[in-house]
Amino acid sequence: ELKVEQNPLFLSMQEGKNYTIYCNYSTTSDRLYWYRQDPGKSLESLFVLLSNGAVKQEGRLMASLDTKARLSTLHITAAVHDLSATYFCAVDLAGGTSYGKLTFGQGTILTVHP
Amino acid sequence: NAGVTQTPKFRILKIGQSMTLQCTQDMNHNYMYWYRQDPGMGLKLIYYSVGAGITDKGEVPNGYNVSRSTTEDFPLRLELAAPSQTSVYFCASSYGDGYEQYFGPGTRLTVT
């Protein structure tokens, strides 16, 4: 059974600081996704990582994937209040056609304060 | 494009009642999914479909049924609602393997 664990589960950051959210998963996969969810809202796709060593950046967020370590990171640079949200990683089973069935982590609740 | 739409937005059911959650996408995606999200948790896959007429169970299918008669629509049926089905339900669609999923706005369901 594929397990996906995020840490930390709660993250309180000051504006302007840097931090990293970690996503570990238990079985072989080379497809990992990051989503953002604002309170009471739906999920919005942030990044799709499809190979070992993949790195993607958008604004103050950068995601990377290490399939050997079964680890993805979401790095936040110079946090601003608008980044306050819940961040989920999700993993797709490797090897051929998985039909996009995702296993989600528990989510990391990020709060950025002045 | 409207993307993925869901109705209703909110619903309160009594124990033992049934209902259908509607989901429609206008992106011509073959893959569609139903998830539930319990408070403070990640999403769990209920059912998925890879095309019209093809559906399969996800991680938590008990108490639910689905059908997919068209590419656009993927309704989720709850039979004999139970308090354990109180949750937020999200429908999603994608182009295929390795592509991001687009999520609908969600249906907040309470069973009392």
Side-chain angles (χ1 to χ4, degrees), chain A residues 28-99:
Chain A
T28 304
S29 176
D30 55 4
R31 294 199 282 241
L32 190 133
Y33 308 79
W34 283 97
Y35 289 89
R36 168 184 170 141
Q37 184 179 38
D38 292 314
K41 302 291 187 184
S42 187
L43 280 78
E44 172 192 356
S45 176
L46 293 174
F47 301 108
V48 179
L49 304 169
L50 297 178
S51 61
N52 186 41
V55 177
K56 291 201 174 173
Q57 182 161 7
E58 179 76 33
R60 301 174 188 273
L61 300 177
M62 183 173 72
S64 65
L65 178 61
D66 181 344
T67 59
K68 291 182 172 55
R70 298 178 185 170
L71 171 69
S72 179
T73 61
L74 180 66
H75 187 71
I76 302 153
T77 302
V80 293
H81 179 72
D82 284 353
L83 290 179
S84 297
T86 300
Y87 293 85
F88 291 98
C89 63
V91 177
D92 198 345
L93 279 174
T97 301
S98 68
Y99 304 118

Coordinates of all heavy atoms in Angstrom, one line a residue, chain A residues 28-99:
Chain A
T28 N 7.9 2.8 -5.0 CA 8.5 3.4 -6.2 C 7.5 4.2 -6.9 O 6.4 3.8 -7.2 CB 9.0 2.3 -7.1 OG1 9.9 1.5 -6.3 CG2 9.7 2.9 -8.3
S29 N 7.9 5.4 -7.2 CA 7.0 6.3 -8.1 C 7.9 7.3 -8.7 O 8.9 7.8 -8.1 CB 5.9 7.0 -7.3 OG 5.2 7.8 -8.1
D30 N 7.6 7.7 -9.9 CA 8.3 8.9 -10.5 C 7.3 9.9 -11.0 O 7.6 10.7 -12.0 CB 9.2 8.4 -11.7 CG 8.4 7.6 -12.7 OD1 7.1 7.5 -12.6 OD2 9.0 7.1 -13.7
R31 N 6.1 10.0 -10.4 CA 5.2 11.0 -10.7 C 4.6 11.6 -9.4 O 4.0 10.9 -8.6 CB 4.0 10.4 -11.5 CG 4.5 9.9 -12.9 CD 3.3 9.8 -13.8 NE 2.6 8.6 -13.6 CZ 2.4 7.6 -14.5 NH1 3.0 7.7 -15.7 NH2 1.7 6.6 -14.2
L32 N 4.9 12.9 -9.2 CA 4.5 13.5 -8.0 C 3.9 14.9 -8.3 O 4.4 15.6 -9.2 CB 5.7 13.7 -7.0 CG 5.3 14.1 -5.6 CD1 5.9 13.3 -4.5 CD2 5.6 15.6 -5.4
Y33 N 2.9 15.2 -7.5 CA 2.1 16.4 -7.8 C 2.0 17.3 -6.5 O 1.9 16.7 -5.4 CB 0.7 16.0 -8.3 CG 0.7 15.1 -9.4 CD1 0.9 13.7 -9.2 CD2 0.4 15.5 -10.7 CE1 0.9 12.8 -10.2 CE2 0.4 14.5 -11.8 CZ 0.6 13.2 -11.5 OH 0.6 12.3 -12.5
W34 N 2.0 18.6 -6.7 CA 1.8 19.5 -5.6 C 0.5 20.3 -5.9 O 0.4 20.8 -7.0 CB 3.0 20.4 -5.4 CG 4.1 19.7 -4.7 CD1 5.2 19.2 -5.2 CD2 4.3 19.6 -3.2 NE1 6.1 18.7 -4.3 CE2 5.5 18.9 -3.0 CE3 3.5 19.9 -2.1 CZ2 6.0 18.6 -1.8 CZ3 4.0 19.6 -0.9 CH2 5.2 18.9 -0.7
Y35 N -0.3 20.4 -4.9 CA -1.6 21.2 -5.0 C -1.6 22.2 -3.8 O -1.1 21.9 -2.7 CB -2.8 20.3 -4.9 CG -3.0 19.4 -6.1 CD1 -2.4 18.1 -6.2 CD2 -3.7 19.9 -7.2 CE1 -2.6 17.4 -7.3 CE2 -3.9 19.1 -8.3 CZ -3.3 17.8 -8.4 OH -3.5 17.1 -9.5
R36 N -2.4 23.2 -4.1 CA -2.7 24.2 -3.0 C -4.2 24.3 -2.8 O -5.0 24.2 -3.8 CB -2.2 25.6 -3.5 CG -2.6 26.7 -2.6 CD -2.2 28.1 -3.2 NE -2.9 29.1 -2.4 CZ -2.3 30.3 -2.1 NH1 -1.1 30.5 -2.4 NH2 -3.0 31.2 -1.4
Q37 N -4.6 24.4 -1.5 CA -6.0 24.6 -1.2 C -6.2 25.7 -0.2 O -5.6 25.7 0.9 CB -6.5 23.3 -0.6 CG -8.0 23.3 -0.3 CD -8.6 22.0 0.2 OE1 -8.0 21.4 1.0 NE2 -9.8 21.7 -0.2
D38 N -6.9 26.7 -0.6 CA -7.3 27.8 0.3 C -8.5 27.4 1.1 O -9.3 26.5 0.7 CB -7.6 29.1 -0.5 CG -6.4 29.6 -1.2 OD1 -5.3 29.7 -0.5 OD2 -6.4 30.0 -2.4
P39 N -8.7 27.9 2.3 CA -9.7 27.5 3.2 C -11.1 27.5 2.6 O -11.5 28.5 1.9 CB -9.6 28.5 4.4 CG -8.2 29.0 4.4 CD -7.8 29.0 2.9
G40 N -11.8 26.4 2.6 CA -13.1 26.3 2.1 C -13.2 26.2 0.6 O -14.3 26.3 0.0
K41 N -12.0 26.1 -0.1 CA -12.0 26.1 -1.6 C -11.5 24.8 -2.1 O -11.3 23.8 -1.4 CB -11.0 27.2 -2.0 CG -11.3 28.6 -1.5 CD -12.6 29.2 -2.1 CE -12.8 30.6 -1.8 NZ -14.1 31.1 -2.3
S42 N -11.4 24.8 -3.4 CA -11.0 23.5 -4.1 C -9.5 23.5 -4.2 O -8.8 24.3 -3.7 CB -11.6 23.5 -5.5 OG -11.4 22.3 -6.1
L43 N -9.0 22.5 -4.9 CA -7.5 22.3 -5.0 C -7.1 22.9 -6.3 O -7.7 22.7 -7.4 CB -7.2 20.8 -5.0 CG -7.1 20.2 -3.6 CD1 -8.4 19.9 -3.0 CD2 -6.2 19.0 -3.6
E44 N -5.9 23.5 -6.3 CA -5.3 24.1 -7.5 C -4.0 23.5 -7.7 O -3.2 23.4 -6.8 CB -5.2 25.6 -7.2 CG -4.4 26.4 -8.3 CD -4.0 27.8 -7.9 OE1 -4.4 28.2 -6.8 OE2 -3.3 28.4 -8.6
S45 N -3.7 23.0 -8.9 CA -2.4 22.4 -9.3 C -1.3 23.4 -9.2 O -1.4 24.5 -9.8 CB -2.5 21.7 -10.6 OG -1.3 21.2 -11.0
L46 N -0.2 23.0 -8.6 CA 1.0 23.9 -8.6 C 2.1 23.3 -9.5 O 2.6 24.0 -10.3 CB 1.6 24.0 -7.1 CG 0.7 24.7 -6.1 CD1 1.3 24.6 -4.7 CD2 0.5 26.2 -6.5
F47 N 2.4 22.1 -9.2 CA 3.6 21.5 -10.0 C 3.3 20.0 -10.3 O 2.6 19.3 -9.5 CB 4.9 21.5 -9.2 CG 5.3 22.9 -8.8 CD1 5.2 23.3 -7.5 CD2 5.8 23.7 -9.7 CE1 5.6 24.6 -7.1 CE2 6.2 25.0 -9.4 CZ 6.1 25.4 -8.1
V48 N 3.8 19.6 -11.4 CA 3.8 18.2 -11.8 C 5.3 17.8 -12.0 O 5.9 18.4 -12.9 CB 3.0 17.9 -13.1 CG1 3.0 16.5 -13.5 CG2 1.5 18.4 -12.9
L49 N 5.7 16.8 -11.3 CA 7.1 16.3 -11.4 C 7.1 14.9 -11.9 O 6.5 14.0 -11.3 CB 7.8 16.4 -10.0 CG 7.7 17.8 -9.3 CD1 8.2 17.7 -7.9 CD2 8.6 18.8 -10.1
L50 N 7.8 14.7 -13.0 CA 7.6 13.4 -13.7 C 8.9 12.6 -13.8 O 8.9 11.6 -14.5 CB 7.0 13.6 -15.1 CG 5.6 14.3 -15.1 CD1 5.2 14.5 -16.5 CD2 4.7 13.4 -14.3
S51 N 10.0 13.0 -13.2 CA 11.2 12.2 -13.3 C 12.2 12.6 -12.2 O 12.1 13.6 -11.6 CB 11.9 12.5 -14.7 OG 12.3 13.9 -14.8
N52 N 13.1 11.6 -12.0 CA 14.1 11.9 -10.9 C 14.9 13.1 -11.2 O 15.3 13.3 -12.4 CB 15.0 10.7 -10.8 CG 16.0 10.8 -9.7 OD1 15.6 11.2 -8.6 ND2 17.2 10.4 -9.8
G53 N 15.1 14.0 -10.2 CA 15.8 15.2 -10.4 C 15.0 16.3 -11.0 O 15.5 17.4 -11.2
A54 N 13.7 16.1 -11.2 CA 12.9 17.2 -11.8 C 12.8 18.4 -10.8 O 12.7 18.1 -9.6 CB 11.5 16.7 -12.1
V55 N 12.9 19.6 -11.3 CA 12.8 20.8 -10.5 C 11.9 21.7 -11.3 O 12.1 22.0 -12.5 CB 14.2 21.4 -10.2 CG1 14.0 22.7 -9.4 CG2 15.1 20.5 -9.5
K56 N 11.0 22.3 -10.5 CA 10.1 23.3 -11.2 C 9.9 24.5 -10.2 O 9.9 24.3 -9.0 CB 8.7 22.7 -11.5 CG 8.8 21.7 -12.7 CD 7.5 21.5 -13.3 CE 7.7 20.6 -14.5 NZ 6.4 20.3 -15.1
Q57 N 9.8 25.7 -10.8 CA 9.7 26.9 -10.0 C 8.6 27.8 -10.5 O 8.4 27.9 -11.8 CB 11.0 27.7 -10.0 CG 11.0 28.9 -9.1 CD 12.4 29.4 -8.7 OE1 13.4 28.9 -9.2 NE2 12.4 30.4 -7.9
E58 N 7.9 28.4 -9.6 CA 6.9 29.3 -10.0 C 6.8 30.4 -8.9 O 6.4 30.1 -7.7 CB 5.5 28.7 -10.1 CG 4.4 29.6 -10.5 CD 4.4 30.0 -11.9 OE1 4.8 29.2 -12.8 OE2 3.9 31.1 -12.2
G59 N 7.3 31.6 -9.2 CA 7.3 32.6 -8.2 C 8.2 32.3 -7.0 O 9.4 31.9 -7.2
R60 N 7.6 32.3 -5.8 CA 8.4 32.0 -4.6 C 8.4 30.5 -4.2 O 8.9 30.2 -3.2 CB 7.8 32.8 -3.4 CG 7.8 34.3 -3.7 CD 7.1 35.1 -2.6 NE 7.0 36.5 -2.9 CZ 7.9 37.4 -2.7 NH1 9.0 37.0 -2.0 NH2 7.7 38.6 -3.0
L61 N 7.8 29.7 -5.0 CA 7.8 28.3 -4.8 C 8.6 27.5 -5.7 O 8.6 27.8 -7.0 CB 6.3 27.8 -4.9 CG 5.3 28.4 -4.0 CD1 3.9 27.8 -4.3 CD2 5.6 28.2 -2.5
M62 N 9.4 26.5 -5.2 CA 10.2 25.6 -6.0 C 10.0 24.2 -5.5 O 10.1 23.9 -4.3 CB 11.6 26.0 -6.0 CG 12.5 25.2 -6.9 SD 14.2 25.7 -7.0 CE 14.8 25.3 -5.4
A63 N 9.7 23.3 -6.4 CA 9.5 21.9 -6.1 C 10.5 21.0 -6.7 O 11.0 21.3 -7.9 CB 8.1 21.4 -6.5
S64 N 10.9 20.0 -6.1 CA 11.9 19.0 -6.6 C 11.5 17.6 -6.3 O 10.7 17.4 -5.3 CB 13.3 19.3 -6.1 OG 13.4 19.1 -4.7
L65 N 12.1 16.7 -7.0 CA 11.8 15.3 -6.8 C 13.0 14.4 -6.9 O 13.8 14.5 -7.8 CB 10.8 14.8 -7.9 CG 10.4 13.3 -7.9 CD1 9.7 13.0 -6.6 CD2 9.5 13.0 -9.1
D66 N 13.2 13.6 -5.8 CA 14.3 12.6 -5.8 C 13.7 11.3 -5.6 O 13.2 10.9 -4.6 CB 15.2 12.9 -4.5 CG 16.4 12.0 -4.4 OD1 16.3 10.9 -5.1 OD2 17.3 12.3 -3.7
T67 N 13.6 10.5 -6.7 CA 12.9 9.3 -6.7 C 13.6 8.2 -6.0 O 13.0 7.3 -5.4 CB 12.6 8.8 -8.1 OG1 13.8 8.6 -8.9 CG2 11.7 9.8 -8.9
K68 N 15.0 8.3 -6.0 CA 15.8 7.3 -5.2 C 15.5 7.4 -3.7 O 15.4 6.4 -3.0 CB 17.2 7.5 -5.5 CG 17.6 7.1 -7.0 CD 19.1 7.3 -7.2 CE 19.5 6.7 -8.6 NZ 18.8 7.3 -9.7
A69 N 15.4 8.6 -3.2 CA 15.1 8.8 -1.8 C 13.6 8.8 -1.5 O 13.2 8.9 -0.3 CB 15.7 10.2 -1.3
R70 N 12.8 8.7 -2.6 CA 11.3 8.8 -2.4 C 10.9 10.0 -1.7 O 10.2 10.0 -0.7 CB 10.8 7.5 -1.8 CG 11.1 6.3 -2.6 CD 10.6 5.0 -1.9 NE 11.0 3.8 -2.6 CZ 10.9 2.6 -2.2 NH1 10.4 2.4 -1.0 NH2 11.3 1.6 -2.9
L71 N 11.4 11.2 -2.1 CA 11.2 12.4 -1.4 C 11.0 13.5 -2.4 O 11.7 13.7 -3.4 CB 12.5 12.7 -0.6 CG 12.6 14.1 0.0 CD1 11.6 14.2 1.2 CD2 14.0 14.3 0.6
S72 N 10.0 14.4 -2.1 CA 9.9 15.6 -2.8 C 9.9 16.8 -1.8 O 9.5 16.6 -0.7 CB 8.6 15.6 -3.6 OG 8.4 16.9 -4.3
T73 N 10.4 17.9 -2.3 CA 10.4 19.1 -1.4 C 9.7 20.2 -2.1 O 9.7 20.4 -3.3 CB 11.8 19.5 -1.0 OG1 12.5 19.8 -2.2 CG2 12.6 18.4 -0.3
L74 N 9.1 21.1 -1.3 CA 8.5 22.3 -1.8 C 9.1 23.4 -1.0 O 8.9 23.5 0.3 CB 7.0 22.3 -1.5 CG 6.2 23.5 -2.0 CD1 6.3 23.7 -3.5 CD2 4.7 23.5 -1.6
H75 N 9.9 24.2 -1.6 CA 10.7 25.2 -1.0 C 10.0 26.6 -1.2 O 9.6 26.9 -2.3 CB 12.1 25.3 -1.5 CG 13.0 26.2 -0.7 ND1 13.4 26.0 0.6 CD2 13.5 27.4 -1.1 CE1 14.2 27.0 1.0 NE2 14.2 27.9 0.0
I76 N 9.9 27.3 -0.1 CA 9.3 28.6 -0.1 C 10.3 29.7 0.2 O 11.1 29.6 1.2 CB 8.2 28.7 1.0 CG1 7.1 27.6 0.8 CG2 7.5 30.1 1.0 CD1 6.5 27.2 2.1
T77 N 10.4 30.6 -0.7 CA 11.5 31.7 -0.6 C 10.8 33.0 -0.3 O 9.9 33.4 -1.0 CB 12.2 31.8 -1.9 OG1 12.9 30.5 -2.2 CG2 13.3 32.8 -1.8
A78 N 11.3 33.6 0.7 CA 10.8 35.0 1.1 C 9.3 35.0 1.2 O 8.6 35.7 0.4 CB 11.4 36.0 0.1
A79 N 8.8 34.3 2.1 CA 7.3 34.1 2.2 C 6.5 35.4 2.3 O 7.0 36.3 2.9 CB 7.0 33.2 3.4
V80 N 5.4 35.4 1.7 CA 4.4 36.5 1.8 C 3.1 36.0 2.2 O 2.8 34.8 2.1 CB 4.3 37.2 0.4 CG1 5.6 38.0 0.1 CG2 3.8 36.3 -0.7
H81 N 2.2 36.9 2.7 CA 1.0 36.4 3.3 C 0.1 35.6 2.4 O -0.6 34.7 2.7 CB 0.2 37.7 3.9 CG -1.1 37.3 4.5 ND1 -1.2 36.6 5.7 CD2 -2.4 37.4 4.0 CE1 -2.5 36.4 6.0 NE2 -3.2 36.9 5.0
D82 N 0.2 36.0 1.1 CA -0.6 35.3 0.1 C -0.4 33.9 -0.1 O -1.2 33.1 -0.7 CB -0.5 36.0 -1.3 CG -1.2 37.3 -1.4 OD1 -1.9 37.7 -0.4 OD2 -1.0 38.1 -2.4
L83 N 0.8 33.4 0.4 CA 1.1 32.0 0.3 C 0.4 31.2 1.4 O 0.5 29.9 1.4 CB 2.6 31.8 0.4 CG 3.4 32.3 -0.8 CD1 4.9 32.0 -0.6 CD2 3.0 31.6 -2.1
S84 N -0.2 31.8 2.4 CA -1.0 31.1 3.4 C -2.0 30.2 2.8 O -2.9 30.7 2.1 CB -1.6 32.1 4.4 OG -0.6 32.8 5.1
A85 N -2.0 28.9 3.0 CA -2.9 27.9 2.4 C -2.5 26.5 3.0 O -1.5 26.4 3.7 CB -2.8 27.9 0.9
T86 N -3.2 25.5 2.5 CA -2.8 24.1 2.8 C -2.2 23.6 1.5 O -2.8 23.7 0.4 CB -4.0 23.3 3.2 OG1 -4.5 23.8 4.4 CG2 -3.5 21.8 3.5
Y87 N -1.0 22.9 1.7 CA -0.3 22.4 0.5 C -0.3 20.9 0.6 O 0.0 20.3 1.7 CB 1.1 22.9 0.5 CG 1.2 24.4 0.2 CD1 1.0 25.3 1.2 CD2 1.3 24.8 -1.1 CE1 1.0 26.7 0.9 CE2 1.3 26.2 -1.4 CZ 1.1 27.1 -0.4 OH 1.1 28.5 -0.7
F88 N -0.7 20.2 -0.5 CA -0.7 18.8 -0.5 C 0.2 18.3 -1.6 O 0.3 18.8 -2.7 CB -2.1 18.3 -0.9 CG -3.2 18.5 0.1 CD1 -4.1 19.6 0.0 CD2 -3.4 17.6 1.1 CE1 -5.1 19.8 0.9 CE2 -4.4 17.8 2.0 CZ -5.2 18.9 1.9
C89 N 0.9 17.2 -1.2 CA 1.6 16.4 -2.3 C 0.8 15.2 -2.6 O 0.0 14.7 -1.7 CB 3.0 16.0 -1.9 SG 3.2 14.9 -0.5
A90 N 0.9 14.6 -3.8 CA 0.2 13.4 -4.1 C 1.0 12.6 -5.1 O 1.8 13.2 -5.9 CB -1.2 13.8 -4.8
V91 N 0.9 11.3 -4.9 CA 1.8 10.4 -5.7 C 1.0 9.4 -6.5 O -0.1 9.0 -6.0 CB 2.7 9.7 -4.7 CG1 3.6 8.7 -5.4 CG2 3.6 10.6 -3.9
D92 N 1.5 9.2 -7.6 CA 0.9 8.3 -8.6 C 1.8 7.0 -8.6 O 3.0 7.1 -8.6 CB 1.0 9.0 -10.0 CG 0.1 8.4 -11.0 OD1 -0.4 7.4 -10.8 OD2 0.0 9.1 -12.0
L93 N 1.2 5.8 -8.6 CA 2.0 4.6 -8.7 C 2.8 4.5 -9.9 O 2.3 4.9 -11.0 CB 1.2 3.4 -8.5 CG 0.7 3.0 -7.1 CD1 -0.2 1.8 -7.1 CD2 1.9 2.7 -6.3
A94 N 4.1 4.1 -9.8 CA 5.0 4.0 -11.0 C 4.7 2.8 -11.8 O 4.0 1.9 -11.4 CB 6.4 4.0 -10.5
G95 N 5.3 2.8 -13.0 CA 5.3 1.6 -13.8 C 4.0 1.5 -14.7 O 3.0 0.9 -14.3
G96 N 4.1 2.1 -15.8 CA 3.0 1.9 -16.8 C 1.8 2.7 -16.5 O 1.9 3.8 -15.9
T97 N 0.7 2.2 -16.8 CA -0.6 3.0 -16.7 C -1.1 2.8 -15.3 O -1.5 1.7 -14.9 CB -1.6 2.5 -17.7 OG1 -1.0 2.7 -19.0 CG2 -2.8 3.3 -17.7
S98 N -1.2 3.9 -14.6 CA -1.8 3.9 -13.3 C -3.2 4.5 -13.3 O -3.8 4.6 -12.3 CB -0.9 4.6 -12.3 OG -0.9 6.0 -12.6
Y99 N -3.6 5.1 -14.4 CA -4.9 5.8 -14.6 C -4.9 7.0 -13.7 O -6.0 7.5 -13.4 CB -6.0 4.9 -14.3 CG -6.0 3.6 -15.2 CD1 -5.9 2.4 -14.7 CD2 -6.1 3.8 -16.6 CE1 -5.8 1.3 -15.5 CE2 -6.0 2.7 -17.4 CZ -5.9 1.4 -16.9 OH -5.9 0.3 -17.7

